[in-house]
Short mmCIF file of all heavy atoms in Angstrom, two decimals:
data_model
loop_
_atom_site.label_atom_id
_atom_site.label_comp_id
_atom_site.label_asym_id
_atom_site.label_seq_id
_atom_site.Cartn_x
_atom_site.Cartn_y
_atom_site.Cartn_z
N THR A 61 -14.45 151.94 -23.27
CA THR A 61 -15.58 151.86 -24.19
C THR A 61 -16.87 152.28 -23.50
O THR A 61 -17.68 153.03 -24.07
CB THR A 61 -15.72 150.44 -24.75
OG1 THR A 61 -14.51 150.08 -25.40
CG2 THR A 61 -16.87 150.32 -25.70
N GLU A 62 -17.08 151.81 -22.27
CA GLU A 62 -18.29 152.19 -21.53
C GLU A 62 -18.34 153.68 -21.28
O GLU A 62 -19.40 154.31 -21.42
CB GLU A 62 -18.34 151.44 -20.20
CG GLU A 62 -18.63 149.97 -20.34
CD GLU A 62 -18.53 149.23 -19.02
OE1 GLU A 62 -18.32 149.88 -17.98
OE2 GLU A 62 -18.66 148.00 -19.04
N ARG A 63 -17.20 154.26 -20.95
CA ARG A 63 -17.16 155.71 -20.72
C ARG A 63 -17.49 156.49 -21.98
O ARG A 63 -18.21 157.48 -21.94
CB ARG A 63 -15.78 156.14 -20.21
CG ARG A 63 -15.42 155.61 -18.87
CD ARG A 63 -15.77 156.64 -17.81
NE ARG A 63 -15.43 156.12 -16.51
CZ ARG A 63 -14.80 156.81 -15.59
NH1 ARG A 63 -14.42 158.04 -15.84
NH2 ARG A 63 -14.55 156.29 -14.43
N VAL A 64 -16.96 156.04 -23.11
CA VAL A 64 -17.23 156.73 -24.37
C VAL A 64 -18.71 156.61 -24.73
O VAL A 64 -19.34 157.60 -25.12
CB VAL A 64 -16.34 156.16 -25.51
CG1 VAL A 64 -16.80 156.66 -26.86
CG2 VAL A 64 -14.89 156.52 -25.27
N VAL A 65 -19.27 155.43 -24.57
CA VAL A 65 -20.70 155.24 -24.87
C VAL A 65 -21.55 156.11 -23.96
O VAL A 65 -22.50 156.76 -24.42
CB VAL A 65 -21.09 153.74 -24.75
CG1 VAL A 65 -22.59 153.56 -24.77
CG2 VAL A 65 -20.43 152.95 -25.86
N ASP A 66 -21.23 156.14 -22.67
CA ASP A 66 -21.99 156.99 -21.74
C ASP A 66 -21.88 158.46 -22.13
O ASP A 66 -22.87 159.20 -22.07
CB ASP A 66 -21.48 156.80 -20.31
CG ASP A 66 -21.82 155.43 -19.75
OD1 ASP A 66 -22.67 154.74 -20.34
OD2 ASP A 66 -21.20 155.04 -18.73
N SER A 67 -20.71 158.89 -22.53
CA SER A 67 -20.50 160.28 -22.93
C SER A 67 -21.31 160.62 -24.18
O SER A 67 -21.94 161.67 -24.25
CB SER A 67 -19.01 160.53 -23.18
OG SER A 67 -18.80 161.81 -23.68
N VAL A 68 -21.31 159.73 -25.15
CA VAL A 68 -22.07 159.96 -26.38
C VAL A 68 -23.57 159.99 -26.08
O VAL A 68 -24.30 160.85 -26.58
CB VAL A 68 -21.74 158.89 -27.44
CG1 VAL A 68 -22.71 158.93 -28.60
CG2 VAL A 68 -20.31 159.05 -27.93
N ASP A 69 -24.03 159.07 -25.25
CA ASP A 69 -25.45 159.05 -24.88
C ASP A 69 -25.85 160.33 -24.16
O ASP A 69 -26.91 160.90 -24.42
CB ASP A 69 -25.77 157.84 -24.01
CG ASP A 69 -25.73 156.54 -24.78
OD1 ASP A 69 -25.76 156.59 -26.03
OD2 ASP A 69 -25.67 155.47 -24.13
N ALA A 70 -25.01 160.81 -23.24
CA ALA A 70 -25.32 162.04 -22.51
C ALA A 70 -25.35 163.23 -23.46
O ALA A 70 -26.22 164.11 -23.34
CB ALA A 70 -24.28 162.26 -21.41
N ARG A 71 -24.42 163.28 -24.41
CA ARG A 71 -24.40 164.37 -25.38
C ARG A 71 -25.66 164.35 -26.25
O ARG A 71 -26.25 165.40 -26.51
CB ARG A 71 -23.15 164.26 -26.25
CG ARG A 71 -22.98 165.43 -27.18
CD ARG A 71 -21.65 165.39 -27.89
NE ARG A 71 -20.59 165.51 -26.92
CZ ARG A 71 -19.42 164.88 -27.01
NH1 ARG A 71 -19.17 164.10 -28.03
NH2 ARG A 71 -18.49 165.06 -26.10
N ARG A 72 -26.06 163.18 -26.67
CA ARG A 72 -27.30 163.07 -27.47
C ARG A 72 -28.51 163.54 -26.68
O ARG A 72 -29.39 164.21 -27.20
CB ARG A 72 -27.51 161.62 -27.92
CG ARG A 72 -26.64 161.22 -29.06
CD ARG A 72 -26.94 159.81 -29.48
NE ARG A 72 -26.04 159.39 -30.54
CZ ARG A 72 -25.80 158.14 -30.86
NH1 ARG A 72 -26.39 157.16 -30.20
NH2 ARG A 72 -24.96 157.85 -31.82
N GLU A 73 -28.55 163.16 -25.41
CA GLU A 73 -29.67 163.55 -24.57
C GLU A 73 -29.70 165.07 -24.37
O GLU A 73 -30.77 165.68 -24.41
CB GLU A 73 -29.58 162.84 -23.21
CG GLU A 73 -30.76 163.08 -22.32
CD GLU A 73 -32.07 162.58 -22.90
OE1 GLU A 73 -32.06 161.58 -23.66
OE2 GLU A 73 -33.12 163.19 -22.62
N ARG A 74 -28.53 165.68 -24.18
CA ARG A 74 -28.48 167.14 -24.04
C ARG A 74 -28.95 167.83 -25.32
O ARG A 74 -29.68 168.82 -25.27
CB ARG A 74 -27.07 167.59 -23.69
CG ARG A 74 -26.68 167.35 -22.25
CD ARG A 74 -25.43 168.11 -21.85
NE ARG A 74 -24.29 167.79 -22.70
CZ ARG A 74 -23.37 166.86 -22.44
NH1 ARG A 74 -23.48 166.13 -21.35
NH2 ARG A 74 -22.36 166.65 -23.27
N ARG A 75 -28.55 167.32 -26.45
CA ARG A 75 -28.98 167.89 -27.73
C ARG A 75 -30.48 167.73 -27.91
O ARG A 75 -31.17 168.62 -28.40
CB ARG A 75 -28.25 167.25 -28.90
CG ARG A 75 -26.83 167.70 -29.03
CD ARG A 75 -26.17 167.08 -30.24
NE ARG A 75 -24.79 167.49 -30.32
CZ ARG A 75 -23.94 167.00 -31.19
NH1 ARG A 75 -24.32 166.07 -32.05
NH2 ARG A 75 -22.70 167.41 -31.20
N ARG A 76 -31.00 166.58 -27.52
CA ARG A 76 -32.42 166.32 -27.63
C ARG A 76 -33.19 167.29 -26.72
O ARG A 76 -34.23 167.84 -27.13
CB ARG A 76 -32.72 164.88 -27.25
CG ARG A 76 -34.12 164.45 -27.56
CD ARG A 76 -34.35 162.99 -27.29
NE ARG A 76 -33.34 162.18 -27.97
CZ ARG A 76 -32.84 161.05 -27.47
NH1 ARG A 76 -33.26 160.59 -26.31
NH2 ARG A 76 -31.93 160.37 -28.13
#
Side-chain angles (χ1 to χ4, degrees):
T61 302
E62 289 174 5
R63 294 265 179 135
V64 169
V65 168
D66 291 345
S67 175
V68 168
D69 289 345
R71 186 173 296 145
R72 283 182 183 160
E73 185 62 30
R74 283 194 303 267
R75 286 183 182 172
R76 190 174 308 145

